[in-house]
Amino acid sequence: MLMTKTLAVSAIKNGVVIDHIPAGQALYLVRLLKLSDRNKQVTLAINLKSGSKGYKDIVKLEEYRLTADECAKIAVICPNATLNTIENYEVTDKSKVVLPDRIDDIFPCPNDKCISNHEPMSASFLIQEYRQGIRLRCHYCNKCFSQEDALPLR
Ligand code: CTP
Ligand code: ZN
């Protein structure tokens, strides 16, 4: 019998697969982390069926290793993402992202009056787990934002 199970997006040879991204956020993640600013293949899959009712996005980065800073930023944007290291077509490492206590230089503080938006400094947020998701508290103005309020490009 013919095998009918195929990958929705081609397998990669070497690199990183960011899996279980909330549906619709892959493009945002790639733009925010500038993951396509190289001469290497980046494949996005948006709104893939995941489980019985849900949907997810996937980002595949050929010839790439994520830095610790990038992993922390991915965790803030997609707290349930899985990072898969691919070597010679095999998954050689799989881990869930880990939320950092604090994140710098990711996106501006949503508070217009915050000093970080008026002085040459990067925004910095303390990350707190809140109900099922997270909250971000600005280090400078001390205001607290939901993830939806803080993510600017969506
Ligand atoms: N993958 C890939 N290229 C490869 C191997 C795997 O793009 N050469 C991708 C798969 O498409 C999948 C992810 O890497 O999106 C993880 O692969 P695998 O662990 O085999 O899949 P699952 O068992 O479905 O992963 P999980 O249990 O984490 O959902
Ligand atoms: Zn602020």
Side-chain angles (χ1 to χ4, degrees):
M1 202 178 82
L2 198 66
M3 288 289 286
T4 49
K5 185 176 184 288
T6 53
L7 291 184
V9 185
S10 301
I12 62 170
K13 184 170 185 193
N14 289 296
V16 184
V17 174
I18 311 169
D19 200 352
H20 305 116
I21 301 169
Q25 292 197 18
L27 205 50
Y28 176 73
L29 189 70
V30 168
R31 286 169 67 192
L32 194 72
L33 272 65
K34 301 184 170 56
L35 295 172
S36 59
D37 291 7
R38 309 173 303 135
N39 250 342
K40 297 290 178 194
Q41 180 178 299
V42 175
T43 10
L44 303 193
I46 296 173
N47 294 340
L48 293 184
K49 271 234 150 76
S50 169
S52 55
K53 17 187 164 57
Y55 293 86
K56 67 172 182 180
D57 290 358
I58 297 184
V59 173
K60 301 191 180 193
L61 305 166
E62 191 72 71
E63 304 285 334
Y64 202 71
R65 287 286 174 272
L66 293 165
T67 64
D69 182 59
E70 287 170 329
C71 292
K73 287 178 176 167
I74 293 168
V76 173
I77 299 160
C78 335
N80 297 316
T82 308
L83 307 177
N84 299 277
T85 302
I86 313 294
E87 291 173 291
N88 203 20
Y89 291 105
E90 299 285 327
V91 180
T92 54
D93 191 59
K94 183 188 287 284
S95 61
K96 293 303 258 182
V97 290
V98 180
L99 272 177
D101 296 330
R102 171 185 168 148
I103 194 91
D104 298 333
D105 196 19
I106 182 169
F107 33 64
C109 177
N111 173 13
D112 290 342
K113 298 200 175 84
C114 179
I115 188 168
S116 67
N117 287 317
H118 301 281
E119 298 287 335
M121 53 173 56
S122 311
S124 173
F125 299 94
L126 293 177
I127 311 295
Q128 298 163 339
E129 291 196 42
Y130 179 77
R131 298 196 179 149
Q132 308 294 30
I134 59 170
R135 289 256 183 208
L136 299 103
R137 181 179 291 281
C138 176
H139 172 69
Y140 296 103
C141 68
N142 215 30
K143 284 200 183 310
C144 213
F145 305 98
S146 70
Q147 206 201 20
E148 290 72 30
D149 291 341
L151 302 182
L153 298 177
R154 258 208 289 220

PDB file of all heavy atoms in Angstrom, residues 55-68:
ATOM      1  N   TYR A  55      -5.033  24.572  15.849  1.00  0.00           N
ATOM      2  CA  TYR A  55      -4.171  24.907  14.712  1.00  0.00           C
ATOM      3  C   TYR A  55      -2.853  25.443  15.260  1.00  0.00           C
ATOM      4  O   TYR A  55      -2.800  25.947  16.376  1.00  0.00           O
ATOM      5  CB  TYR A  55      -4.834  25.977  13.836  1.00  0.00           C
ATOM      6  CG  TYR A  55      -6.068  25.476  13.143  1.00  0.00           C
ATOM      7  CD1 TYR A  55      -7.305  25.521  13.778  1.00  0.00           C
ATOM      8  CD2 TYR A  55      -6.000  24.928  11.872  1.00  0.00           C
ATOM      9  CE1 TYR A  55      -8.446  25.040  13.157  1.00  0.00           C
ATOM     10  CE2 TYR A  55      -7.128  24.446  11.235  1.00  0.00           C
ATOM     11  CZ  TYR A  55      -8.356  24.500  11.886  1.00  0.00           C
ATOM     12  OH  TYR A  55      -9.471  24.017  11.268  1.00  0.00           O
ATOM     13  N   LYS A  56      -1.808  25.334  14.443  1.00  0.00           N
ATOM     14  CA  LYS A  56      -0.505  25.836  14.880  1.00  0.00           C
ATOM     15  C   LYS A  56       0.282  26.331  13.668  1.00  0.00           C
ATOM     16  O   LYS A  56      -0.070  26.033  12.522  1.00  0.00           O
ATOM     17  CB  LYS A  56       0.281  24.728  15.584  1.00  0.00           C
ATOM     18  CG  LYS A  56       0.686  23.597  14.627  1.00  0.00           C
ATOM     19  CD  LYS A  56       1.632  22.593  15.267  1.00  0.00           C
ATOM     20  CE  LYS A  56       2.054  21.505  14.279  1.00  0.00           C
ATOM     21  NZ  LYS A  56       2.954  20.513  14.824  1.00  0.00           N
ATOM     22  N   ASP A  57       1.354  27.063  13.946  1.00  0.00           N
ATOM     23  CA  ASP A  57       2.304  27.463  12.917  1.00  0.00           C
ATOM     24  C   ASP A  57       3.639  26.770  13.179  1.00  0.00           C
ATOM     25  O   ASP A  57       3.920  26.354  14.317  1.00  0.00           O
ATOM     26  CB  ASP A  57       2.559  28.982  12.961  1.00  0.00           C
ATOM     27  CG  ASP A  57       1.361  29.802  12.503  1.00  0.00           C
ATOM     28  OD1 ASP A  57       0.341  29.217  12.117  1.00  0.00           O
ATOM     29  OD2 ASP A  57       1.466  31.040  12.536  1.00  0.00           O
ATOM     30  N   ILE A  58       4.450  26.662  12.143  1.00  0.00           N
ATOM     31  CA  ILE A  58       5.811  26.105  12.263  1.00  0.00           C
ATOM     32  C   ILE A  58       6.776  27.000  11.489  1.00  0.00           C
ATOM     33  O   ILE A  58       6.415  27.528  10.429  1.00  0.00           O
ATOM     34  CB  ILE A  58       5.896  24.671  11.680  1.00  0.00           C
ATOM     35  CG1 ILE A  58       4.992  23.700  12.447  1.00  0.00           C
ATOM     36  CG2 ILE A  58       7.316  24.147  11.698  1.00  0.00           C
ATOM     37  CD1 ILE A  58       5.120  22.245  11.981  1.00  0.00           C
ATOM     38  N   VAL A  59       7.980  27.170  12.019  1.00  0.00           N
ATOM     39  CA  VAL A  59       9.044  27.877  11.290  1.00  0.00           C
ATOM     40  C   VAL A  59      10.246  26.936  11.194  1.00  0.00           C
ATOM     41  O   VAL A  59      10.673  26.381  12.205  1.00  0.00           O
ATOM     42  CB  VAL A  59       9.458  29.177  12.028  1.00  0.00           C
ATOM     43  CG1 VAL A  59      10.678  29.801  11.366  1.00  0.00           C
ATOM     44  CG2 VAL A  59       8.306  30.179  12.052  1.00  0.00           C
ATOM     45  N   LYS A  60      10.760  26.754   9.973  1.00  0.00           N
ATOM     46  CA  LYS A  60      11.932  25.896   9.773  1.00  0.00           C
ATOM     47  C   LYS A  60      13.093  26.742   9.258  1.00  0.00           C
ATOM     48  O   LYS A  60      12.960  27.411   8.234  1.00  0.00           O
ATOM     49  CB  LYS A  60      11.604  24.784   8.773  1.00  0.00           C
ATOM     50  CG  LYS A  60      10.437  23.898   9.234  1.00  0.00           C
ATOM     51  CD  LYS A  60      10.280  22.657   8.385  1.00  0.00           C
ATOM     52  CE  LYS A  60       9.100  21.823   8.914  1.00  0.00           C
ATOM     53  NZ  LYS A  60       9.079  20.471   8.338  1.00  0.00           N
ATOM     54  N   LEU A  61      14.194  26.698   9.981  1.00  0.00           N
ATOM     55  CA  LEU A  61      15.365  27.526   9.653  1.00  0.00           C
ATOM     56  C   LEU A  61      16.519  26.622   9.244  1.00  0.00           C
ATOM     57  O   LEU A  61      17.069  25.892  10.084  1.00  0.00           O
ATOM     58  CB  LEU A  61      15.784  28.353  10.880  1.00  0.00           C
ATOM     59  CG  LEU A  61      14.695  29.225  11.504  1.00  0.00           C
ATOM     60  CD1 LEU A  61      15.128  29.712  12.876  1.00  0.00           C
ATOM     61  CD2 LEU A  61      14.373  30.401  10.599  1.00  0.00           C
ATOM     62  N   GLU A  62      16.850  26.655   7.970  1.00  0.00           N
ATOM     63  CA  GLU A  62      17.941  25.817   7.454  1.00  0.00           C
ATOM     64  C   GLU A  62      19.278  26.439   7.858  1.00  0.00           C
ATOM     65  O   GLU A  62      19.430  27.681   7.823  1.00  0.00           O
ATOM     66  CB  GLU A  62      17.800  25.745   5.928  1.00  0.00           C
ATOM     67  CG  GLU A  62      18.660  24.739   5.226  1.00  0.00           C
ATOM     68  CD  GLU A  62      18.265  23.270   5.426  1.00  0.00           C
ATOM     69  OE1 GLU A  62      17.231  22.825   4.885  1.00  0.00           O
ATOM     70  OE2 GLU A  62      19.022  22.581   6.118  1.00  0.00           O
ATOM     71  N   GLU A  63      20.212  25.618   8.287  1.00  0.00           N
ATOM     72  CA  GLU A  63      21.566  26.072   8.659  1.00  0.00           C
ATOM     73  C   GLU A  63      21.521  27.150   9.743  1.00  0.00           C
ATOM     74  O   GLU A  63      22.036  28.244   9.555  1.00  0.00           O
ATOM     75  CB  GLU A  63      22.313  26.642   7.440  1.00  0.00           C
ATOM     76  CG  GLU A  63      22.427  25.711   6.271  1.00  0.00           C
ATOM     77  CD  GLU A  63      23.462  24.617   6.496  1.00  0.00           C
ATOM     78  OE1 GLU A  63      24.393  24.861   7.277  1.00  0.00           O
ATOM     79  OE2 GLU A  63      23.312  23.537   5.905  1.00  0.00           O
ATOM     80  N   TYR A  64      20.876  26.869  10.836  1.00  0.00           N
ATOM     81  CA  TYR A  64      20.752  27.881  11.881  1.00  0.00           C
ATOM     82  C   TYR A  64      20.844  27.259  13.261  1.00  0.00           C
ATOM     83  O   TYR A  64      20.427  26.123  13.468  1.00  0.00           O
ATOM     84  CB  TYR A  64      19.396  28.604  11.725  1.00  0.00           C
ATOM     85  CG  TYR A  64      19.375  29.976  12.362  1.00  0.00           C
ATOM     86  CD1 TYR A  64      20.082  31.019  11.801  1.00  0.00           C
ATOM     87  CD2 TYR A  64      18.645  30.220  13.527  1.00  0.00           C
ATOM     88  CE1 TYR A  64      20.075  32.281  12.377  1.00  0.00           C
ATOM     89  CE2 TYR A  64      18.637  31.477  14.113  1.00  0.00           C
ATOM     90  CZ  TYR A  64      19.346  32.500  13.527  1.00  0.00           C
ATOM     91  OH  TYR A  64      19.341  33.745  14.100  1.00  0.00           O
ATOM     92  N   ARG A  65      21.422  28.007  14.186  1.00  0.00           N
ATOM     93  CA  ARG A  65      21.401  27.660  15.611  1.00  0.00           C
ATOM     94  C   ARG A  65      20.852  28.868  16.337  1.00  0.00           C
ATOM     95  O   ARG A  65      21.321  29.986  16.105  1.00  0.00           O
ATOM     96  CB  ARG A  65      22.827  27.372  16.133  1.00  0.00           C
ATOM     97  CG  ARG A  65      23.402  26.049  15.666  1.00  0.00           C
ATOM     98  CD  ARG A  65      22.755  24.867  16.405  1.00  0.00           C
ATOM     99  NE  ARG A  65      23.206  23.591  15.870  1.00  0.00           N
ATOM    100  CZ  ARG A  65      22.623  22.962  14.842  1.00  0.00           C
ATOM    101  NH1 ARG A  65      21.573  23.497  14.241  1.00  0.00           N
ATOM    102  NH2 ARG A  65      23.069  21.810  14.412  1.00  0.00           N
ATOM    103  N   LEU A  66      19.876  28.666  17.206  1.00  0.00           N
ATOM    104  CA  LEU A  66      19.306  29.792  17.943  1.00  0.00           C
ATOM    105  C   LEU A  66      20.229  30.168  19.099  1.00  0.00           C
ATOM    106  O   LEU A  66      20.781  29.287  19.764  1.00  0.00           O
ATOM    107  CB  LEU A  66      17.936  29.400  18.515  1.00  0.00           C
ATOM    108  CG  LEU A  66      16.825  29.144  17.503  1.00  0.00           C
ATOM    109  CD1 LEU A  66      15.660  28.423  18.159  1.00  0.00           C
ATOM    110  CD2 LEU A  66      16.350  30.449  16.872  1.00  0.00           C
ATOM    111  N   THR A  67      20.376  31.471  19.343  1.00  0.00           N
ATOM    112  CA  THR A  67      21.129  31.905  20.518  1.00  0.00           C
ATOM    113  C   THR A  67      20.218  31.824  21.742  1.00  0.00           C
ATOM    114  O   THR A  67      18.991  31.736  21.617  1.00  0.00           O
ATOM    115  CB  THR A  67      21.594  33.365  20.358  1.00  0.00           C
ATOM    116  OG1 THR A  67      20.427  34.200  20.305  1.00  0.00           O
ATOM    117  CG2 THR A  67      22.418  33.566  19.103  1.00  0.00           C
ATOM    118  N   ALA A  68      20.819  31.895  22.928  1.00  0.00           N
ATOM    119  CA  ALA A  68      20.032  31.868  24.169  1.00  0.00           C
ATOM    120  C   ALA A  68      19.068  33.051  24.198  1.00  0.00           C
ATOM    121  O   ALA A  68      17.916  32.929  24.641  1.00  0.00           O
ATOM    122  CB  ALA A  68      20.971  31.901  25.367  1.00  0.00           C
TER     123      ALA A  68
END
